[in-house]
Amino acid sequence: MSHKILIINGSPRRNGNTSIAVHWVQEGANSKGATVDILNLTSMKNVGNGCIGCRRCQNSDEYRCFINDDISQAVYAMTDYDVIVFAMPLYFGTVPAQMKSFMDRMYSHIKINNGHMANPKFENKAFVIIATTGAENSNGLPLLEEYMKDFALEFKTRLYSFVIPSCNADRNVLLEKIDVREQAEYFGEKLANI
Ligand SMILES: Cc1cc2nc3c(=O)[nH]c(=O)nc-3n(C[C@H](O)[C@H](O)[C@H](O)COP(=O)(O)O)c2cc1C
């Protein structure tokens, strides 16, 4: 059976390169029967509100974040999916603030008690990075990949990545790259049954 996929789009630019990549990957995944939901962080209220370190989540058997906003609900509901995609532009070699705020709220899915125990619902799930970068080569990417590797390790999930380099401020440049579109769609097809 094809997977249920959540794509979290953390680009502050609503219709930028990352959104194009997300759309292409979604098309590929849909073509193989996967269900894809997209969460655009920029259209959510309070996206800038990161974890406040209150640790009330540590007393919740339901792995809930107690900040009363829509990010908490989205973080709670993410265990409904088989594949969770973190799509983002590379910012100074790492995760943009909006995405980082969201990811920090996922602390609610971890219990800190003589070590870190993730919500068992994450077992067998896959985390995926989609990154668009300005650089032509992999400059700065190792930092992002190292960070995401550690993050996935916390949740004991597998990690896959798809990177689109040479993306500048003009989205039309990417739109004309037919070969990149094909690669992105193919990656989406693979995600459907990863
Ligand atoms: C604040 C900022 C920091 C950036 N830092 C990097 C970087 O460290 N390395 C890189 O290759 N590109 C960097 N870029 C370029 C973006 O990652 C790239 O253009 C990306 O495709 C933008 O995605 P978007 O159109 O979805 O916003 C940066 C862009 C901005 C605005």
Side-chain angles (χ1 to χ4, degrees):
M1 204 177 72
S2 292
H3 285 322
K4 214 175 151 191
I5 301 174
L6 174 67
I7 305 183
I8 305 157
N9 183 354
S11 174
R13 284 215 304 164
R14 189 84 195 254
N15 294 308
N17 300 313
T18 308
S19 296
I20 294 169
V22 163
H23 183 65
W24 287 342
V25 170
Q26 177 189 22
E27 283 189 343
N30 282 154
S31 76
K32 294 291 177 191
T35 311
V36 180
D37 288 336
I38 297 178
L39 187 65
N40 284 304
L41 293 187
T42 44
S43 55
M44 293 180 82
K45 267 195 286 175
N46 315 108
V47 65
N49 289 358
C51 173
I52 55 170
C54 70
R55 292 179 170 76
R56 280 196 289 165
C57 58
Q58 296 301 303
N59 299 320
S60 162
D61 292 337
E62 287 191 301
Y63 297 91
R64 283 203 183 263
C65 172
F66 282 86
I67 298 176
N68 186 15
D69 65 9
D70 43 4
I71 307 271
S72 289
Q73 186 50 35
V75 167
Y76 176 71
M78 65 198 298
T79 53
D80 291 347
Y81 296 85
D82 307 298
V83 177
I84 299 160
V85 181
F86 299 87
M88 66 193 104
L90 189 69
Y91 272 11
F92 289 103
T94 187
V95 180
Q98 293 80 353
M99 181 64 93
K100 183 69 166 63
S101 290
F102 183 91
M103 291 167 74
D104 286 348
R105 298 281 283 275
M106 288 173 65
Y107 193 77
S108 52
H109 282 296
I110 290 182
K111 296 285 180 238
I112 314 291
N113 185 13
N114 290 332
H116 291 193
M117 291 289 291
N119 182 343
K121 287 188 177 166
F122 280 92
E123 267 169 37
N124 302 319
K125 295 190 192 302
F127 283 178
V128 177
I129 312 167
I130 296 177
T132 66
T133 82
E136 287 170 22
N137 47 36
S138 61
N139 272 357
L141 262 180
L143 196 60
L144 176 74
E145 285 181 335
E146 207 52 43
Y147 172 75
M148 291 301 293
K149 219 158 67 187
D150 280 353
F151 186 73
L153 208 60
E154 290 271 2
F155 293 89
K156 298 187 175 59
T157 61
R158 290 163 286 140
L159 181 68
Y160 303 88
S161 67
F162 181 71
V163 177
I164 305 182
S166 303
C167 294
N168 64 29
D170 180 1
R171 71 193 294 273
N172 292 314
V173 175
L174 179 57
L175 278 175
E176 281 163 17
K177 294 184 178 171
I178 307 299
D179 55 330
V180 178
R181 178 182 187 145
E182 284 171 0
Q183 288 162 21
E185 287 176 352
Y186 182 67
F187 185 76
E189 289 174 21
K190 294 278 157 216
L191 287 190
N193 290 294
I194 215 162

